Amino acid sequence: MVDSGDAAAAAEQETLARTPKEQRSQQLREVSPSFREALDSRRHDRVGADWAGGLPAQYGVAPRVRVGRTKWFNLLWLVPIGVAVMILGISIARGIVDLPVVRDFLQTYPGASALPEGTPEGFPVWMQWQHWLNIFFMFFMIRSGLSILADHPRLYWTRHSTPGREWFRMQRPVPDDPTYTAKGDSLTLPDGVGLPGRRHSIGLARWWHLSIDVLWLVNGIVFVVLLFVTGHWARIVPTSWDVIPNAISTAIQYLSLDWPTENGWVNYNALQLLAYFITVFVAAPLALLTGLGMSPALSTRFRRISRVFNIQFARSLHFLVLCWYVMFVLVHVALVFATGALRNLNHMYAGNDTNSWTGFWIFLATSAVLAVVWVAATPVTYRYPRAIRRMGLALIGPVQRLFEHVDSKPGEYTEDDISPYFWSNGRVPDSDEYKRLEEGGFRDYRLRVGGLVENPVSLSVDDLRAMAHHDQITQHFCIQGWSGVAKWGGVSMSSVLDLVRPTPEAKWVVFYSFAEGAEGGLYYDAQDIDQMRYHLTMLAYDMNDEPLTFSHGAPLRLRNEAQLGFKMVKWIQGIEFVERFEDVGGGLGGYNNDHEFFGYRQSI
Ligand SMILES: Nc1nc2c(c(=O)[nH]1)N[C@H]1C(S)=C(S)[C@@H](COP(=O)(O)O)O[C@H]1N2
Ligand SMILES: [Mo]
C-alpha cells in the first residue's frame, strides 16, 4: 500500500526547498484561503432550532448539596424544614415572651436604635427611582446568572473541578465516559426563568449579565454617594452596638406574632436595618468582587490572591450572594405587604406617609413595565442576538480590553497543583485527513503558518519539538465555569513570531482547527497579536508531560492564559496573520463568536 500522505508531504517539502523565497511565500500564502473556504461564513443573526448544533433540551435534577463524601441532600427538603423551624421558633417565642426577664428585655430594647441627630425622614424622589431601577436590574441579573450557572451546573471550593467533589449540583453525577464533555453537561432552564434559558446559551446570558451588572453598579454607586451626601445613610448603617439586642428584640416580636410597630418613614427596626445594611454594604461589594474573581486575566495577574480566592471559590460565593438576594427579595416583599401595604408602598413609590392608594397604583404600573420586559427578554434575545452582543460589547468591552494587559510569567503553580481531572470540551475532529494523520502518529502533520509574515513556514511535530522548549503550569478557565490546572509543554508563540516575522500590517492571528464546530465549518479563533508575545502564550504539544491526547487537542493546541478556554483552539492545523478578521468566517473573530455570540476579547 502506498502512503500517499507521506509522498505528498515529501513532494511538498521538496518543492519548498527548491523554490526561491518569494515564490515560497506566495505558495504558502495561498494556503490560507483553503482554511478560509472550510469556514462557515453564513451570518447567524437569529437563535433558531438548530442553534448550538441543535442541542436537545436537557433539564437537570433538583439542586443538591453534598454531605460527607458521597451523600447528597436535596434542597427541596429546606421547604418543610423551613416551615418546621418557623413553627418551632414561633412556639418558643410565644412561650417566652411573657416571662418577666423577656418583658424587661423588650422594654429596654424596643427594637430600633436611636438615629444620629439630624437624620432626615422619608424617601426622596432620587431614592424612589434608584430603588426601582435596582429592582429592574436585579431581576435580569438573577435570571441571566441562573442561565450561566446552568451551563456548568456544579459548584466547587477548589480550582479543580473534579466530578464527585462538587459541593452543589443540579445535574446528575458525571458518567464514567471519556467522551463526556462540559457542553454535554449543560442544562436548559425554562424561558421565563433563565435569560435566555436555552441550553448552552451562555454567550448571550453573559452579555445580559455583564451589561446589567455595569448599569446596576453605576446605579448602586450613585445611590451610595447620595445616601452619604444627604445623611440618609444613617438609616441603614448601624451606629451603635445596641443594634444587636434590638435585632434580637425585633425577632422575638415577629416570632411571637406581636409584630413591632411600623415606623419605616422615620426609623427602621434593627432587623430591617441590618438586612438593608448587609444587602447594600456587604452583598453588593461581594457580588462585584466574586464576579471579578472568576476572570482568567485577573487571576493570572493577582496570582497570590487567586490561590485561595480561586475561580471556584469565587463562583461558589457569587452563588451564595445570589441566594442572599433571592431570600432578601422574598422576605422584603412579603413584609412590605404584610405590614401595612398601602403605607409602605406610598413610602417608596409616592414619597408620602399616608394610607392613600397612590403608591399602590405607581407600584402596579412600574411592575407592569417590569413584567412586559420580563416576558419579552428571552424572545427578543433569540430574535436579535447580535444586538444583545453589541450592547454587551459596548458596556463591558472597555473593561475586558483593560484586563487583557496582563503579561504574567509562568511559575505560580507547581506539579502538586495539577488537577486530577480536566474536563474536555468541544466537537472532536472527524475528517478523513485528521484520521489519516492520527493513524500515522502525526508524522505527516504539518503546521502551516502564513498570511502577513515575511517567512511563512510549514512545521512538522519534530520541527516543533526541535524549537526552544517552553513549559508552564497554568489554570484553564472555561466560559462555562469549570477550571483546572495542567502543565503545558511546547513552543512559545514568541518563538513562532521570531521565526515567521509578522509584517507591520498584521494585527490579528487566526488559529484554524482540523475540527469543525458544532454547526459545521472549521473551528477557528482570532487573537490580538499583542498577546502573542506574552510569556504565557504558547502552542502546546504536551500536557502533563505526555503528548497531548486526542480529546485535549492532539497534536497541537493554543494556550493564551489571559483569555477564556474557548479561545484556545485545539487540533490546530494552521495559523494565519491578518490585518482584520471581518472577512474570516462569519466575521466576528471566532467560531463561537459567529455562532454563539461570544466576544472576541474574553478576559472575564
Ligand atoms: N477545535 C476546537 N477547539 C476548542 C474547542 C472546540 O470546540 N473546538 N472548545 C474550546 C473550549 S470551549 C474549551 S473550554 C477548551 C477545552 O479544552 P480541553 O478539552 O482540553 O479541556 O478547548 C477549546 N478549544
Ligand atoms: Mo469552554
Side-chain angles (χ1 to χ4, degrees):
M1 220 177 83
V2 184
D3 189 339
S4 58
D6 249 340
E12 188 190 355
Q13 283 303 85
E14 213 173 303
T15 23
L16 282 177
R18 264 189 279 121
T19 44
K21 199 176 150 208
E22 259 58 64
Q23 233 172 310
R24 202 164 86 199
S25 312
Q26 186 55 36
Q27 217 167 3
L28 274 157
R29 226 164 263 166
E30 280 165 7
V31 159
S32 310
S34 73
F35 295 131
R36 295 216 196 167
E37 275 157 28
L39 302 180
D40 176 8
S41 56
R42 284 173 296 166
R43 290 192 82 83
H44 297 259
D45 48 16
R46 254 177 220 245
V47 174
D50 60 337
W51 183 77
L55 273 181
Q58 167 173 261
Y59 295 89
V61 295
R64 307 139 205 249
V65 166
R66 185 163 56 86
V67 273
R69 285 195 73 80
T70 51
K71 294 246 179 325
W72 291 86
F73 171 77
N74 185 330
L75 289 183
L76 288 182
W77 280 107
L78 286 182
V79 177
I81 291 173
V83 171
V85 168
M86 191 77 107
I87 292 172
L88 190 70
I90 290 172
S91 357
I92 293 176
R94 289 186 72 92
I96 62 166
V97 74
D98 287 325
L99 298 179
V101 47
V102 177
R103 282 196 167 280
D104 280 355
F105 175 74
L106 295 183
Q107 211 123 51
T108 322
Y109 297 104
S113 307
L115 289 172
E117 202 62 42
T119 303
E121 305 185 337
F123 297 79
V125 174
W126 60 265
M127 193 182 289
Q128 298 165 30
W129 269 100
Q130 296 216 287
H131 176 259
W132 189 72
L133 284 173
N134 187 65
I135 302 174
F136 192 83
F137 295 146
M138 200 75 129
F139 278 118
F140 295 100
M141 275 162 60
I142 292 175
R143 281 182 60 189
S144 52
L146 289 174
S147 272
I148 294 171
L149 175 67
D151 221 50
H152 188 69
R154 306 173 190 276
L155 295 169
Y156 319 81
W157 291 118
T158 74
R159 60 172 62 82
H160 311 299
S161 306
T162 314
R165 302 304 302 152
E166 65 269 48
W167 67 269
F168 170 98
R169 65 175 162 88
M170 42 190 224
Q171 170 60 294
R172 290 169 190 81
V174 174
D176 190 12
D177 168 4
T179 65
Y180 193 70
T181 62
K183 266 181 206 168
D185 203 49
S186 64
L187 297 179
T188 312
L189 291 177
D191 277 358
V193 177
L195 179 56
R198 188 183 286 247
R199 188 157 162 226
H200 196 47
S201 55
I202 188 162
L204 293 164
R206 279 172 49 104
W207 289 131
W208 271 105
H209 200 71
L210 296 173
S211 334
I212 302 282
D213 288 352
V214 172
L215 301 176
W216 178 74
L217 268 176
V218 170
N219 188 57
I221 290 167
V222 172
F223 175 71
V224 170
V225 168
L226 287 174
L227 270 188
F228 282 95
V229 169
T230 58
H232 276 274
W233 65 270
R235 302 192 51 194
I236 63 164
V237 176
T239 48
S240 145
W241 283 108
D242 70 8
V243 70
I244 309 272
N246 271 315
I248 296 171
S249 161
T250 325
I252 295 174
Q253 296 174 59
Y254 276 121
L255 285 172
S256 64
L257 304 183
D258 180 13
W259 286 9
T261 21
E262 276 301 309
N263 190 23
W265 182 257
V266 178
N267 192 4
Y268 291 127
N269 70 48
L271 217 49
Q272 268 178 304
L273 183 147
L274 284 180
Y276 296 151
F277 175 73
I278 292 173
T279 301
V280 176
F281 294 102
V282 180
L286 206 57
L288 172 64
L289 286 177
T290 52
L292 293 177
M294 290 183 261
S295 149
L298 289 188
S299 296
T300 309
R301 168 72 185 76
F302 300 104
R303 292 186 291 177
R304 289 281 148 70
I305 304 175
S306 82
R307 281 193 74 91
V308 183
F309 191 71
N310 64 73
I311 170 187
Q312 300 306 338
F313 190 74
R315 192 168 183 257
S316 291
L317 284 186
H318 202 72
F319 173 74
L320 293 175
V321 172
L322 164 86
C323 294
W324 167 267
Y325 274 118
V326 171
M327 282 293 294
F328 174 83
V329 170
L330 291 176
V331 175
H332 177 69
V333 172
L335 286 177
V336 163
F337 281 89
T339 60
L342 289 184
R343 213 164 135 217
N344 286 334
L345 289 172
N346 269 333
H347 288 176
M348 200 44 109
Y349 286 85
N352 70 55
D353 191 27
T354 70
N355 270 319
S356 75
W357 284 82
T358 327
F360 176 80
W361 292 122
I362 301 175
F363 166 77
L364 212 62
T366 58
S367 300
V369 173
L370 176 63
V372 168
V373 182
W374 182 296
V375 171
T378 290
V380 165
T381 304
Y382 292 150
R383 179 61 194 84
Y384 302 103
R386 281 175 181 254
I388 300 296
R389 183 178 184 271
R390 268 199 303 279
M391 164 181 84
L393 282 173
L395 284 169
I396 197 77
V399 182
Q400 303 228 20
R401 192 163 318 189
L402 201 71
F403 289 178
E404 277 189 338
H405 297 287
V406 290
D407 180 14
S408 295
K409 290 198 179 113
E412 192 63 20
Y413 297 106
T414 67
E415 313 253 340
D416 294 339
D417 298 314
I418 291 174
S419 299
Y421 182 94
F422 203 98
W423 285 78
S424 282
N425 227 352
R427 177 168 162 190
V428 299
D430 51 10
S431 69
D432 291 341
E433 186 190 7
Y434 181 84
K435 283 197 190 116
R436 186 177 57 75
L437 292 171
E438 194 195 17
E439 277 158 22
F442 297 109
R443 272 186 305 279
D444 296 340
Y445 169 80
R446 295 293 177 275
L447 169 72
R448 288 174 293 177
V449 190
L452 300 174
V453 294
E454 286 174 16
N455 179 39
V457 293
S458 163
L459 303 166
S460 67
V461 174
D462 286 344
D463 293 339
L464 287 162
R465 286 193 182 266
M467 291 171 70
H469 182 83
H470 167 93
D471 60 39
Q472 61 191 34
I473 301 175
T474 47
Q475 184 180 344
H476 178 95
F477 294 76
C478 173
I479 195 168
Q480 294 185 269
W482 56 271
S483 56
V485 177
K487 179 176 179 183
W488 304 99
V491 294
S492 179
M493 265 312 279
S494 215
S495 310
V496 177
L497 260 60
D498 289 343
L499 180 67
V500 301
R501 297 191 303 277
T503 66
E505 301 84 60
K507 297 283 182 302
W508 295 90
V509 187
V510 188
F511 294 81
Y512 297 96
S513 178
F514 279 110
E516 296 200 331
E519 299 172 284
L522 288 189
Y523 193 92
Y524 78 98
D525 196 80
Q527 318 243 340
D528 194 326
I529 196 164
D530 290 343
Q531 290 177 31
M532 296 299 106
R533 287 266 179 206
Y534 283 3
H535 290 110
L536 299 180
T537 306
M538 66 177 293
L539 296 173
Y541 46 68
D542 285 343
M543 179 182 185
N544 300 335
D545 295 319
E546 302 284 341
L548 216 50
T549 58
F550 171 65
S551 72
H552 290 301
L556 198 67
R557 73 172 302 163
L558 178 65
R559 300 296 314 166
N560 172 358
E561 311 295 353
Q563 301 286 345
L564 288 172
F566 75 87
K567 300 201 53 90
M568 306 190 199
V569 178
K570 302 192 283 187
W571 312 286
I572 297 175
Q573 63 166 316
I575 303 175
E576 187 189 7
F577 288 74
V578 299
E579 195 175 350
R580 51 204 294 280
F581 54 67
E582 282 75 2
D583 44 5
V584 180
L588 296 180
Y591 192 88
N592 284 309
N593 315 1
D594 292 342
H595 290 253
E596 294 178 8
F597 310 103
F598 289 14
Y600 58 91
R601 298 182 188 276
Q602 293 280 215
S603 56
I604 302 182

